[in-house]
């Protein structure tokens, strides 16, 4: 007579971070272990992290991903515990003592800084160097995106975009900012943007934007759909300084010089920018100028005491920025100088300064980051595992990889234990 099959393990699992990586991981683990006790902790009152606070509010399809996670909590028995900061309200040691498996899915949400734009001393126009940054009028895209999405910890105080702004970066976040900053306030509000934020973004009102990226156009980080979406904006004329036909669009050397790889759709990206420029109205009253192949150099401040449209008397504000030509990126000039009222940097994300959970500090000598393993029973997933690259679909694939590793490890340990019990 055959022995009945041993029941599947039903481990107790804690996931730290209720963004897409954490929620997808819970989904995969729930499918395998229907009886497992799964708890997702988050420092915010409400779940969904990047989806709630990082996705542009007019991208309703992406926002709707949260609905499938609603079912996770409402029907699948996964518990959400909000307003709990792991490291202060609960220690990681406490979690590991209370659960068989702990998964860190906290993401990386601090704006990556450009030293000479955010923290180095700046130079007042025609004067000696002024005080070190943060200089008024320089903002990280993460802060702006959280403001636009109503993040409870962000404030609109001090935000002044003005009539001319420079956006540094040529990825999807930068393109999001272009679109949202040129969207009427009433439309922003209709998408859930707080009134005071919509008013601040459109107060200038913006007349000109410069979007400056380090890469040549064919190695830019934006998705084609994002650029094509800009063509729907009213009353905007687009320009580009891409050398176009003067540059070999398959020249991988140029892309590598900019610190990137030439993507397979590089030619399509160059075409998308060209079509956007050629399809825009030459008589539009607002302009967006794309600049490709420029590396950030310095920001310069207005004289202290010079008052901008909404500046404070005595406040040194950004007044112009300079860039140098990225080697090999095809620019003919050595420098690019732009006048501006504000600068928005959209160059990626990093660990929060002083973060209590730091991957490198937590990882044990036996860590295997390819599987998301940090230490025995401790795993990581999403941006916390692989760095700030990839969008929500990439985090779903990442969650599957790590969930598979967890399932393998837990069931292998259970099999070893069962064999030991059977042999006694």
């Amino acid at each position: 007579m055959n022995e009945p099959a041993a029941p599947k393990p039903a481990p107790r699992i804690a996931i730290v971070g209720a963004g897409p990586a954490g929620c997808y991981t819970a989904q995969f683990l729930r499918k395998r272990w229907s009886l497992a006790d799964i708890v997702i902790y988050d420092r915010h009152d409400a779940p969904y992290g990047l989806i709630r606070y990082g996705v542009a509010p007019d991208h309703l399809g992406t926002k709707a991903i949260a609905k499938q996670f609603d079912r996770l909590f409402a029907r699948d028995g996964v518990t959400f515990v909000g307003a709990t900061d792991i490291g202060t309200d609960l220690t990681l040691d406490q979690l590991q003592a209370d659960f068989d498996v702990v998964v860190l899915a906290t993401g990386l949400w601090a704006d990556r800084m450009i030293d000479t734009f955010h923290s180095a001393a700046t130079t007042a126009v025609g004067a000696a160097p002024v005080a070190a940054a943060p200089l008024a009028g320089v903002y990280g895209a993460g802060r702006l995106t959280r403001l636009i999405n109503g993040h409870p910890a962000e404030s609109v105080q001090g935000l002044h975009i003005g009539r001319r702004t420079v956006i540094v970066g040529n990825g999807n976040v930068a393109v999001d900012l272009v679109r949202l900053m040129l969207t009427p306030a009433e439309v922003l509000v209709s998408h859930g943007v707080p009134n005071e934020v919509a008013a601040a973004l459109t107060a200038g009102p913006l007349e000109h934007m410069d979007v400056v990226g380090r890469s040549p156009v064919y190695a830019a980080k934006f998705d084609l759909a994002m650029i094509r979406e800009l063509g729907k904006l009213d009353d905007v004329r687009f320009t580009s300084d891409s050398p176009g036909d003067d540059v070999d669009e398959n020249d991988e050397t140029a892309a590598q010089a900019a610190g990137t790889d030439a993507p397979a759709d590089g030619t399509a990206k160059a075409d998308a920018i060209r079509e956007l420029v050629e399809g825009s109205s030459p008589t539009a009253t607002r302009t967006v100028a794309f600049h490709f192949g420029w590396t950030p150099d310095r920001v310069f401040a207005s004289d202290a005491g010079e008052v901008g449209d909404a500046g404070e008397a005595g406040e040194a504000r950004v007044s112009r920025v300079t860039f140098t030509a990225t080697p090999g990126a095809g620019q003919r000039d050595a420098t690019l100088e732009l006048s501006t009222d504000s600068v928005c940097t959209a160059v990626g994300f990093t660990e929060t300064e002083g973060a209590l959970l730091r991957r490198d500090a937590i990882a044990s000598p036996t860590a295997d980051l390819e599987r998301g393993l940090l230490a025995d029973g401790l795993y990581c997933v999403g941006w916390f595992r692989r760095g700030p690259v990839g969008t929500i679909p990439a985090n779903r694939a990442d969650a599957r990889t790590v969930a598979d590793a967890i399932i393998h490890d837990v069931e292998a340990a259970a099999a070893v234990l069962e064999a030991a019990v059977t042999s006694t």
Side-chain angles (χ1 to χ4, degrees):
M1 180 178 177
N2 294 331
E3 294 289 334
K8 290 181 180 178
R12 300 196 72 229
I13 300 166
I15 298 173
V16 183
C23 288
Y24 278 129
T25 302
Q27 273 190 336
F28 290 127
L29 295 178
R30 169 57 76 223
K31 287 180 181 176
R32 182 66 175 187
W33 296 318
S34 60
L35 300 179
D37 181 13
I38 302 177
V39 181
I40 302 183
Y41 292 90
D42 201 284
R43 63 192 178 91
H44 295 117
D45 292 336
Y48 310 145
L50 175 66
I51 298 173
R52 185 180 296 276
Y53 299 119
V55 173
D58 57 341
H59 282 176
L60 301 180
T62 306
K63 287 280 190 185
I65 293 173
K67 292 181 180 178
Q68 65 175 286
F69 297 144
D70 287 340
R71 295 194 292 271
L72 188 68
F73 299 114
R75 188 188 65 190
D76 296 341
V78 174
T79 302
F80 173 71
V81 179
T84 303
D85 199 2
I86 303 303
T88 53
D89 300 311
L90 282 174
T91 68
L92 183 57
D93 287 343
Q94 286 176 306
L95 275 191
Q96 290 182 277
D98 290 343
F99 291 88
D100 302 301
V101 173
V102 174
V103 185
L104 302 181
T106 56
L108 299 171
W109 50 272
D111 282 303
R112 190 164 73 83
M113 300 286 112
I114 302 171
D115 286 343
T116 52
F117 275 38
H118 286 275
S119 58
T122 58
T123 302
V125 177
V130 297
L135 183 67
V138 180
Y139 313 104
R143 180 198 171 197
L144 294 178
T145 304
R146 289 191 293 274
L147 268 172
I148 289 168
N149 281 287
H151 192 289
E154 297 291 355
S155 168
V156 76
Q157 185 175 6
L159 178 65
H160 170 64
I161 299 300
R163 291 188 170 88
R164 296 180 65 96
T165 193
V166 172
I167 296 178
V168 184
N170 55 19
N172 287 340
V173 174
V175 179
D176 271 340
L177 291 180
V178 173
R179 187 183 68 258
L180 292 171
M181 287 182 176
L182 292 175
T183 297
E186 61 272 20
V187 176
L188 293 175
V189 171
S190 73
H191 288 302
V193 177
N195 286 316
E196 66 274 18
V197 177
L201 290 177
T202 58
L206 267 170
E207 297 170 350
H208 180 81
M209 305 175 74
D210 291 286
V211 185
V212 189
R214 189 166 183 266
S215 304
V217 61
Y218 47 88
K221 302 294 186 183
F222 58 73
D223 291 336
L224 295 175
M226 296 288 289
I227 290 298
R228 290 166 180 154
E229 200 172 355
L230 295 181
K232 301 175 184 176
L233 291 169
D234 291 331
D235 192 29
V236 181
R237 179 170 66 91
F238 294 93
T239 67
S240 168
D241 68 357
S242 172
D245 294 340
D246 292 340
V247 171
D248 179 3
E249 294 173 348
N250 296 314
D251 185 355
E252 295 186 359
T253 302
Q256 289 167 0
T260 62
D261 296 324
D265 61 350
T267 299
K269 289 186 175 184
D271 289 344
I273 289 293
R274 187 179 301 113
E275 290 167 5
L276 182 68
V277 170
E278 293 174 354
S280 63
S281 170
T283 60
T285 61
R286 303 183 296 177
T287 55
V288 175
F290 284 99
H291 307 268
F292 297 97
W294 297 101
T295 299
D297 179 32
R298 298 183 66 188
V299 297
F300 293 82
S302 60
D303 291 329
E306 180 179 320
V307 182
D309 292 334
E312 299 291 336
E315 179 185 58
R317 295 189 57 88
V318 61
S319 63
R320 62 188 174 101
V321 290
T322 57
F323 298 81
T324 59
T326 303
Q331 289 299 343
R332 302 178 184 85
D333 299 324
T335 61
L336 173 68
E337 180 174 329
L338 302 170
S339 299
T340 187
D341 304 314
S342 60
V343 174
C344 308
T345 59
V347 292
F349 298 90
T350 187
E351 284 186 322
T352 308
E353 187 175 354
L356 297 175
L357 298 177
R358 304 179 73 86
R359 193 192 67 187
D360 292 343
I362 295 170
S364 75
T366 59
D368 181 358
L369 289 178
E370 289 298 313
R371 305 173 66 249
L373 178 67
L374 287 170
D376 187 25
L378 180 63
Y379 297 82
C380 60
V381 68
W383 281 13
F384 192 83
R385 180 181 81 85
R386 67 184 196 284
V389 293
T391 55
I392 291 174
N395 279 327
R396 186 180 188 278
D398 198 60
R400 179 182 289 277
T401 297
V402 175
D404 287 346
I406 294 170
I407 292 166
H408 173 273
D409 293 350
V410 170
E411 295 189 347
V416 170
L417 180 61
E418 181 186 359
V421 171
T422 303
S423 66
T424 57

